Amino acid sequence: MSAVGRDIQHDSARTHVTGESVFLDDRAPLSGELLAGVVPSPCAHGRVVRVDVAAALQVPGVHAVMTAGDIRGHNRFGPVVHDEDLIAEEVAVFLGQPVALIAAESDTALRAGVAAVAVEMEELAPILDIDAAIEAGSFLGEERTIACGDLEAGFAAADGVVEGAVEIGGQEQFYLESQVAIAIPGESGQMQVLSSTQHPSEVQALVAEALGVPFHLVTCECKRMGGAFGGKETQAAPPAMMAALLAKRTGRAVRFRYGKDDDMRFTGKRHPFKSFYRAGYTRDGVLTALDVRLYSNGGCSTDLSAAVLERAMLHSDNTSFIPNVRVRARICKTNLPSNTAFRGFGGPQGVASTEHVLHEVAVATGLDPLDVRRANCYGVGERNVTPYGQIVTHNTLPELFDTLRDESGYDARRAEVDAFNGESRTQLRGLAISGVKFGISFTRRTLNQANALVNIYLDGSVMVSTGATEMGQGVNTRVRQVVADGLGVDYDRVIVAVTSTDKNNNTSPTAASSGTDLNGAAALEACNQLRARLAGVAAEMLAEPDTGLAAEPEAMVFADGVVRDQRRPGREVRFEEVVTNAYEQRVSLGERGFYATPGIEFNRATGKGVPFRYFTTGAACSEVLIDRFTGEMVVTRLDLIMDLGRPINPGIDRGQVIGGYVQGMGWCTTEELVYGDDGRLLSYSPTTYKIPAITDLPPICNVRFLDAPDHPISLHGSKAVGEPPLLLGLSAWLAAKDALRYVLPGNERKLALPATGEAILLAMESAPRGVAGRTQE
Amino acid sequence: MRETIDFLLNGAPVSVAGPDGWLMLSEFLRRRRALTGTKVVCAEGDCGSCAVLVGRLESGRVVYRSIASCIAQLIQLDATHVVTVEALRDPGELNAFQESMAREHGAQCGFCTPGFVVATQGLMEAGEPVDSERARRGLTGNLCRCTGYDAIVSAVVGTDAERMRPVGERFPDADVMPALEKWATESVLVRDGRRSQFKPVSVDEATAYLADPSGSAAASNGSNGTGHGAEPATLLSGGTDLGVVHNKTGEMSDRLVYLGGVAGFDDVSVERGEDGRSWMVVGAGVTLHRFQREMAEHLPDFVEFMEWFGSPPIRHGGTLAGNLCTASPIGDTLPAMHVLGAEMELASDGAKRTVPIEAFHTGYRMTVLRPGEIVTAIRVPLPGPGEHLRLMKVSRRKDMDISTVSAAFFFAFDGDVLSDVRVAFGGVAGTVERAAAVEAVLEGRPATLERFEEAAVVAEAAYTPMTDVRGSAAYRKALCRNLVLKLWHQIDAGRFAGRGVEA
């Protein structure tokens, strides 16, 4: 029985529910192990005048204190551009940036040590938000442009123009397991790093550079993460680097773990954006031109901001074909922890901007927002070229919109909402459908490669290892399924090994929704090679020349734990026997597969090309209920449909879809990053930063996939699922706007993202007469 | 006097002395017992990853409820049975809910999962199936970032309740109760250097110790000269506030007195007052969960409101007395107790007094409690026929959140005319106090929209709230106004007219 396509339990489900699954900080301390911590910069922007560590070194239990000058390798790091000090050297550029590192025997000693370091700073004026950065001309990198068509002609052809600006908030990843790493010094300068990271190869490289040793002296391994969502793509590295520096210094194992508060305060988040837009439309609501200028708040250093910005630009069309487009975009440099990857990676912000524009067009034309979205939707075989020149193929968007309209009962519910809002003095309802078209592939072409190691042991059991890291998304389960089918053995005969740089080198981060696509394909390639070799062995075993059956490797079929000769029913041999035989004959039972995504090419200078292998698409309908006195909002119903091709594991994919939607809904509603004037994050723990709780799951939740559409592009006809559904959370934000338009048409454009209760109430309050809770006559 | 903290852990006795007595339960489990299924995420009781079940004696049996172990001081567990996720699987296989979770994909990254397993065990102790509404209400204390909860709700609903063994079946009461009963009668004093924690078992013992620790059997060894009165003791009740402070600052009083073991502090009774009114007398150790339950037949509106107080594990730990003594303007029981006119019963060494709640709260996190004085009970007058209580809470997220603004309204109807109007807001000033100006507009007047609009404007003008992480001053002022209007709409919708307490 084929494993691919089956609803198999998560690889770790059974140990997760018993509490046996080991997360990094669950490991018992090694002998002599020390705890590491940082002395954080007390200000968001300041010149380091003096860091006096003498008193800290006298604290009992403190074993090492390091400042920037103590680093022998590189102190300056970054995944792409090396433009951030691990330990602030001359100027601290965000509040919480380490100015010293400490290793101590206990939490108590660590706390005392941190308190004993005297830090003198000369405070400089911080730049915290996009407006301030624009005014100060504080940017990272140059402005980028993607354009197509003739903007002027597009506006000339328009019946009307909408223009404005919309602010889009950031978001904390809020993985439950905070950043953590353990560094274990070995012999001959080796360093083993255990890290909760999406990118072991980068941790390996950055640790090696910080230590000033060749990469091969450092191994990095990651068994699993307690959630990541992009937050551990690059930002798992500093904790690992700090642990390794202190491990080298002390010769002892060192553990670095952030508490949740410090993790939230000191690490990067989803980029806040501000979009300035101008769009032309016809009286039928069709966009004729879109001119957008996006600014992102990159924080103090480049990190992944350039790629995030690029993906925002590449998603500024979303589901709409727009003939004349100019998207300009730039990263603001501010004094916040460097903003970084978060599920969607700029896509959600680019899409939020455009969906806001479409809503504005609906209000301006008096058309239903869904009709506007549908009128602009990419066509099948026509109206299908993106602003960057890629043709949208295998387009199911029209089908998704129409099916969802029908299945959600959109039109009847629209009538209900009209009636309800006409009558109720206490509540408002809102309804919105939005879609997603998410480009699959790293936009940095190089990263679209993977290798996988498949080992078959003499009993026929199989171990596979790849560069993919497991963060709950189920990549290990899917890779197991692919390998099981690839060798024709039972799913349980395959396990996935700990991800480690000594088995898989130069791997890409597990990101961009590509974990299964890339690593599964590499594993399949290894299986194909192994199968070809074993087919030769099996063919000899099954051959029966006397009855006319010559050895014919091509005729071997691997399935159900046996190898069959398809020419003669019943002629088969158990997989284990073939393996044993192969070993006896000195045939290699291990293989390394490699995969590089074909057909992608993007020219950054011209903004043209084919950056994506394909698109994952979907649509969602959210309905909201708003308390007109308080602005409090609940999402009362969700209908969602996605085209995921033929999922490798439909159960796991369903979890990704609903989890992604709810995370997106949180970003759009209750999750607000609040900063003080000094750059201090005020919403730095779950007490003040509110991710959705279980009661925020819409009570009606209809989620389904399009029935097995044919997508012969990716692994086993599946489609990547990690990020796309998050963007459907925007339908909740659009539903809030929809509701507001019933009370104060035009006011809903002021509703920024997130639409908190406060934002909603204050939008309603800005009515000419200030008493909310009454219909405006 | 016992000098160790004693409790059962997964059925086996544990005795803790010395510095380990200052560990939070979650730390003790993870670091001293390698029970790492209990996770710590927020260390403030907000996420549920650290949930454990605590069995306590209640009416002759052991009842297990989930609590947040990250903010539980070990001394609070004295004389209890602590059950962790490791003890919840069935021999050799998963329990019914664990099986359901695995099948339904209720676990993704797995970090929150043990907490859900523990909380659901608590929810299913009655042995009955749990529907989706109860699953949602029962799990508001557990955050998950991966699943969006849908699969978890399905897993709870899909659990075979008959196969779900209650904790008491794994650890029979007959084995557990003798130890708990014995320990419950013993007062405890644990020491580490100059630090001490004291768990008295009677009011007299508590007040005597507070009056003169050096003169009692519980003498501080005074190594650094901290004698009598040098440092006032910190009183610990449910610990849902103090535990957070301890985790976030590393600070804990050198003299901690845990009052949860005082005999009689669990009592709740209803008595007829001199005014002819019924009063509920709530012992200082009564948890918010218990209080909510006891109120069910008297004040349904309060019961509903309490659903939005913290989460089940917080209500299982936190107490009404603790909430009132913390005296935070965003303490959710404060506005209700102020408009009801609750009274605080206080005791100190050799003296007792009763203080009306308006006089009890004197400022931001300040009360009239004198050094050495404790709350022994709270007397809550219950509304009579024709009297109404309406409570409102506005927060960023509906569940498991702290109020941005809360409001309590008490009123009666004389025909169409409002009487005995009492109004209090939380979250708009340093302390909760009655909004006399708003009351004056409504008192003795017919309940018309115009009247309430006037009151709403007065409410808005009455406060100069601050802007903080939970909301701007403008938002809070708008809420004061709108909540008054919301009340009118509820009255207008007929929810209160001519009836007794809303059913």
Side-chain angles (χ1 to χ4, degrees):
Chain A
M1 189 178 167
S2 173
V4 169
R6 265 165 63 203
D7 182 2
I8 291 174
Q9 288 178 8
H10 189 281
D11 189 55
S12 299
R14 303 182 84 75
T15 52
H16 283 348
V17 297
T18 57
E20 290 167 279
S21 294
V22 178
F23 294 85
L24 202 41
D25 198 34
D26 293 340
R27 288 175 171 241
L30 293 162
S31 177
E33 184 179 299
L34 301 173
L35 282 173
V38 304
V39 178
S41 165
C43 57
H45 193 197
R47 198 171 300 285
V48 181
V49 178
R50 189 176 65 98
V51 181
D52 187 344
V53 304
L57 284 166
Q58 299 306 311
V59 172
V62 168
H63 284 253
V65 185
M66 294 178 78
T67 57
D70 297 320
I71 297 182
R72 279 191 222 154
H74 301 279
N75 181 34
R76 192 149 280 215
F77 77 105
V80 186
V81 185
H82 285 37
D83 63 350
E84 182 171 338
D85 286 352
L86 180 65
I87 306 177
E89 215 159 327
E90 289 170 5
V91 176
V93 290
F94 68 93
L95 199 151
Q97 185 175 20
V99 294
L101 312 180
I102 299 189
E105 284 170 11
S106 67
D107 278 321
T108 318
L110 190 60
R111 240 190 245 259
V114 169
V117 174
V119 179
E120 198 182 316
M121 308 278 292
E122 178 196 336
E123 282 201 47
L124 305 170
I127 294 171
L128 301 174
D129 59 29
I130 289 171
D131 288 339
I134 294 172
E135 199 184 315
S138 175
F139 299 107
L140 288 159
E142 298 303 312
E143 180 171 271
R144 297 265 318 268
T145 302
I146 290 175
C148 69
D150 180 341
L151 212 52
E152 214 167 295
F155 279 110
D159 296 323
V161 169
V162 291
E163 193 168 10
V166 60
E167 291 190 31
I168 299 154
Q171 185 180 22
E172 160 64 36
Q173 289 86 359
F174 208 89
Y175 33 73
L176 291 194
E177 179 206 39
S178 296
Q179 305 275 6
V180 54
I182 302 173
I184 307 162
E187 60 192 46
S188 309
Q190 294 180 351
M191 187 68 70
Q192 186 189 10
V193 179
L194 314 179
S195 169
S196 178
T197 175
Q198 292 171 250
H199 200 349
S201 286
E202 185 169 285
V203 169
Q204 174 198 25
L206 291 176
V207 165
E209 287 176 359
L211 297 178
V213 302
F215 289 9
H216 69 186
L217 288 183
V218 177
T219 59
C220 175
E221 77 170 57
C222 175
K223 167 72 180 167
R224 61 163 60 85
M225 287 165 275
F229 312 112
K232 296 174 182 171
E233 182 172 346
T234 61
Q235 304 216 351
M241 293 158 76
M242 294 189 279
L245 285 164
L246 289 163
K248 184 165 187 176
R249 177 89 161 197
T250 60
R252 297 204 196 191
V254 172
R255 182 177 307 212
F256 186 104
R257 57 172 180 236
Y258 268 129
K260 185 48 70 196
D261 294 13
D262 285 349
D263 188 304
M264 289 181 72
R265 282 192 286 221
F266 301 160
T267 69
K269 311 184 187 315
R270 185 187 298 289
H271 292 67
F273 269 62
K274 188 166 187 179
S275 162
F276 296 90
Y277 59 86
R278 186 162 179 263
Y281 58 89
T282 69
R283 60 179 59 84
D284 300 325
V286 176
L287 291 174
T288 57
L290 177 65
D291 189 11
V292 186
R293 191 160 222 161
L294 298 172
Y295 290 97
S296 73
N297 186 336
C300 67
S301 68
T302 306
D303 189 89
L304 294 168
S305 294
V308 167
L309 190 78
E310 181 168 86
R311 188 166 279 270
M313 299 171 78
L314 292 170
H315 284 74
S316 289
D317 54 341
N318 194 25
T319 62
S320 294
F321 168 77
I322 313 165
N324 309 294
V325 176
R326 179 172 63 176
V327 183
R328 291 173 291 181
R330 203 157 186 197
I331 307 160
C332 295
K333 182 179 182 179
T334 63
N335 295 109
L336 294 179
S338 198
N339 281 321
T340 190
F342 188 163
R343 200 175 191 173
F345 203 76
Q349 296 95 317
V351 168
S353 161
T354 297
E355 294 302 320
H356 174 86
V357 169
L358 289 175
H359 181 88
E360 293 254 87
V361 170
V363 172
T365 55
L367 296 167
D368 188 283
L370 177 56
D371 292 331
V372 170
R373 290 203 165 80
R374 187 64 183 80
N376 285 287
C377 183
Y378 276 109
V380 177
E382 44 93 40
R383 294 168 49 82
N384 62 354
V385 184
T386 64
Y388 44 93
Q390 179 163 359
I391 295 167
V392 180
T393 61
H394 303 87
N395 179 15
T396 50
L397 284 167
E399 184 186 352
L400 287 164
F401 274 123
D402 295 345
T403 306
L404 185 64
R405 176 175 215 142
D406 181 41
E407 291 183 358
S408 67
Y410 179 87
D411 293 303
R413 286 163 67 197
R414 170 61 65 201
E416 282 172 32
V417 169
D418 288 346
F420 181 90
N421 290 342
E423 281 170 23
S424 177
R425 294 173 301 167
T426 58
Q427 291 174 315
L428 276 176
R429 281 164 68 177
L431 185 65
I433 285 182
S434 67
V436 62
K437 171 185 120 290
F438 198 82
I440 304 299
S441 291
F442 287 99
T443 56
R444 186 174 160 212
R445 184 168 176 265
T446 303
L447 296 178
N448 296 289
Q449 59 172 311
N451 63 68
L453 180 65
V454 178
N455 289 336
I456 305 173
Y457 297 93
L458 292 184
D459 63 351
S461 64
V462 180
M463 179 185 271
V464 54
S465 70
T466 72
T469 52
E470 176 65 44
M471 59 196 94
Q473 85 281 38
V475 67
N476 283 358
T477 315
R478 295 200 198 92
V479 167
R480 272 176 80 174
Q481 289 175 273
V482 168
V483 170
D485 281 14
L487 296 174
V489 299
D490 194 73
Y491 172 78
D492 292 328
R493 298 292 281 163
V494 182
I495 67 163
V496 178
V498 170
T499 308
S500 176
T501 56
D502 56 5
K503 293 196 289 292
N504 300 94
N505 61 336
N506 312 329
T507 53
S508 296
T510 307
S513 307
S514 69
T516 301
D517 277 12
L518 296 176
N519 295 284
L524 184 58
E525 174 56 26
C527 291
N528 290 343
Q529 293 177 44
L530 282 165
R531 216 175 48 227
R533 286 208 290 272
L534 291 174
V537 175
E540 293 293 341
M541 293 170 77
L542 292 175
E544 216 175 34
D546 294 352
T547 64
L549 209 62
E552 177 51 71
E554 299 288 307
M556 299 298 112
V557 177
F558 289 67
D560 307 319
V562 297
V563 185
R564 296 192 178 93
D565 190 325
Q566 62 179 358
R567 295 167 301 174
R568 184 170 297 174
R571 188 86 188 139
E572 62 183 43
V573 59
R574 286 168 56 228
F575 181 75
E576 298 91 289
E577 291 174 49
V578 178
V579 167
T580 313
N581 211 298
Y583 177 69
E584 293 296 337
Q585 294 182 38
R586 301 186 296 174
V587 173
S588 169
L589 289 169
E591 192 54 66
R592 207 171 128 100
F594 181 80
Y595 177 78
T597 310
I600 47 175
E601 191 73 65
F602 182 62
N603 185 330
R604 205 146 279 152
T606 61
K608 295 287 179 189
V610 182
F612 303 119
R613 179 68 175 142
Y614 63 93
F615 298 97
T616 293
T617 52
C621 177
S622 293
E623 181 169 342
V624 299
L625 183 66
I626 291 171
D627 182 318
R628 292 177 67 169
F629 304 99
T630 65
E632 290 167 299
M633 177 172 86
V634 289
V635 180
T636 53
R637 175 169 166 181
L638 165 69
D639 297 82
L640 185 153
I641 183 164
M642 287 201 76
D643 169 9
L644 296 178
R646 289 186 298 276
I648 289 172
N649 188 319
I652 284 178
D653 281 12
R654 186 184 158 85
Q656 288 296 298
V657 169
I658 298 178
Y661 170 85
V662 170
Q663 215 169 66
M665 182 190 84
W667 170 55
C668 292
T669 56
T670 54
E671 294 183 37
E672 187 174 26
L673 297 165
V674 183
Y675 293 90
D677 292 340
D678 57 355
R680 194 171 298 273
L681 180 65
L682 302 176
S683 48
Y684 60 80
S685 79
T687 299
T688 46
Y689 185 79
K690 310 311 279 190
I691 70 166
I694 194 166
T695 39
D696 296 313
L697 168 70
I700 302 171
C701 211
N702 301 313
V703 172
R704 78 168 188 93
F705 305 150
L706 271 193
D707 298 322
D710 187 30
H711 283 287
I713 296 174
S714 180
L715 184 63
H716 289 302
S718 69
K719 283 182 148 196
V721 66
E723 294 163 289
L726 183 136
L727 286 77
L728 295 176
L730 281 164
S731 58
W733 182 55
L734 296 163
K737 287 180 181 286
D738 184 65
L740 288 185
R741 114 191 128 92
Y742 284 91
V743 221
L744 299 158
N747 245 37
E748 80 285 349
R749 68 189 321 221
K750 294 178 188 161
L751 191 65
L753 189 159
T756 60
E758 173 166 359
I760 290 171
L761 188 70
L762 295 182
M764 288 196 284
E765 292 274 310
S766 49
R769 169 71 201 96
V771 179
R774 303 177 68 193
T775 309
Q776 294 299 304
E777 259 91 45
Chain B
M1 184 83 62
R2 190 150 38 86
E3 300 203 345
T4 51
I5 297 169
D6 290 84
F7 57 98
L8 294 177
L9 173 57
N10 296 335
V14 168
S15 197
V16 182
D20 276 6
W22 275 257
L23 291 173
M24 289 293 172
L25 175 59
S26 57
E27 296 171 309
F28 179 80
L29 295 173
R30 290 177 57 79
R31 296 191 197 170
R32 297 292 183 261
R33 299 285 153 153
L35 293 170
T36 52
T38 301
K39 310 294 181 199
V40 175
V41 174
C42 66
E44 59 187 19
D46 262 285
C47 74
S49 299
C50 67
V52 300
L53 292 167
V54 174
R56 295 177 190 275
L57 293 168
E58 274 181 34
S59 321
R61 52 187 284 261
V62 185
V63 177
Y64 293 89
R65 294 205 169 86
S66 61
I67 64 152
S69 68
C70 69
I71 51 173
Q73 321 254 6
L74 276 191
I75 197 157
Q76 296 176 262
L77 282 313
D78 189 75
T80 70
H81 181 200
V82 175
V83 177
T84 68
V85 67
E86 284 84 358
L88 294 181
R89 69 184 300 174
D90 289 343
E93 57 177 346
L94 303 183
N95 75 33
F97 174 64
Q98 289 171 326
E99 194 62 63
S100 188
M101 276 286 272
R103 188 180 60 238
E104 296 288 338
H105 301 282
Q108 287 186 21
C109 85
F111 213 80
C112 72
T113 312
F116 275 97
V117 168
V118 168
T120 304
Q121 175 75 44
L123 207 55
M124 300 195 76
E125 277 290 282
E128 290 163 8
V130 173
D131 66 16
S132 66
E133 182 56 26
R134 265 199 72 211
R136 286 161 177 261
R137 295 264 26 107
L139 296 173
T140 54
N142 295 77
L143 294 178
C144 168
R145 188 55 150 169
C146 294
T147 63
Y149 304 102
D150 184 58
I152 295 173
V153 174
S154 300
V156 178
V157 173
T159 298
D160 180 354
E162 287 183 9
R163 267 197 56 219
M164 201 59 191
R165 299 163 64 212
V167 178
E169 222 175 88
R170 298 161 199 275
F171 303 103
D173 277 9
D175 299 341
V176 173
M177 284 179 63
L180 266 49
E181 282 170 342
K182 173 180 173 289
W183 288 326
T185 61
E186 300 167 352
S187 43
V188 175
L189 178 72
V190 287
R191 287 202 192 95
D192 172 47
R194 64 193 175 89
R195 300 190 290 181
S196 68
Q197 295 183 64
F198 182 51
K199 180 194 172 196
V201 295
S202 72
V203 172
D204 288 347
E205 195 184 13
T207 53
Y209 173 80
L210 288 166
D212 183 13
S214 55
S216 74
S220 156
N221 58 10
S223 57
N224 67 345
T226 54
H228 171 213
E231 186 197 349
T234 296
L235 303 176
L236 173 66
S237 184
T240 54
D241 194 56
L242 274 186
V244 178
V245 172
H246 171 65
N247 286 341
K248 303 282 159 155
T249 64
E251 287 161 17
M252 195 196 283
S253 165
D254 280 350
R255 290 180 59 216
L256 205 60
V257 178
Y258 172 56
L259 296 169
V262 173
F265 268 18
D266 279 347
D267 293 348
V268 178
S269 61
V270 177
E271 56 189 46
R272 175 85 47 185
E274 287 168 14
D275 53 359
R277 182 181 287 281
S278 291
W279 291 67
M280 185 177 283
V281 184
V282 183
V286 171
T287 63
L288 293 159
H289 168 82
R290 168 94 186 282
F291 182 50
Q292 181 187 17
R293 236 179 21 184
E294 296 287 346
M295 276 292 192
E297 61 178 292
H298 306 287
L299 261 177
D301 201 67
F302 186 76
V303 175
E304 187 190 322
F305 175 76
M306 285 299 288
E307 280 294 305
W308 289 280
F309 186 117
S311 63
I314 296 303
R315 298 196 294 270
H316 293 156
T319 61
L320 176 63
N323 194 235
L324 295 175
C325 288
T326 299
S328 161
I330 43 178
D332 277 339
T333 65
L334 271 65
M337 292 301 123
H338 275 253
V339 301
L340 285 170
E343 295 177 354
M344 310 296 288
E345 293 194 342
L346 315 182
S348 53
D349 197 22
K352 289 186 176 179
R353 58 175 178 149
T354 300
V355 176
I357 194 148
E358 305 97 276
F360 182 72
H361 292 126
T362 55
Y364 180 71
R365 287 184 170 253
M366 291 195 312
T367 70
V368 295
L369 276 179
R370 299 168 185 144
E373 195 170 39
I374 63 174
V375 174
T376 57
I378 300 109
R379 291 168 49 81
V380 185
L382 300 171
E387 294 178 337
H388 309 283
L389 177 71
R390 189 69 203 157
L391 305 174
M392 300 178 192
K393 168 173 175 170
V394 180
S395 51
R396 183 179 291 267
R397 186 176 69 197
K398 192 71 191 164
D399 277 291
M400 193 57 196
D401 201 355
I402 289 170
S403 298
T404 303
V405 169
S406 62
F409 303 98
F410 182 93
F411 53 94
F413 274 114
D414 184 4
D416 254 3
V417 175
L418 291 162
S419 66
D420 202 7
V421 177
R422 302 176 213 162
V423 178
F425 289 97
V428 291
T431 185
V432 171
E433 53 188 48
R434 297 260 297 275
V438 180
E439 293 173 357
V441 176
L442 297 173
E443 182 68 36
R445 307 299 183 112
T448 61
L449 176 58
E450 290 66 30
R451 183 56 57 185
F452 273 83
E453 283 186 339
E454 191 185 323
V457 171
V458 171
E460 181 177 11
Y463 297 100
T464 46
M466 61 179 199
T467 292
D468 70 6
V469 64
R470 296 193 175 85
S472 66
Y475 182 46
R476 287 193 159 98
K477 284 175 83 70
L479 287 174
C480 289
R481 182 185 65 217
N482 285 354
L483 292 181
V484 173
L485 289 172
K486 183 172 181 170
L487 177 66
W488 182 81
H489 279 274
Q490 291 180 348
I491 291 171
D492 188 49
R495 295 189 65 188
F496 301 93
R499 290 191 287 119
V501 174
E502 176 199 356

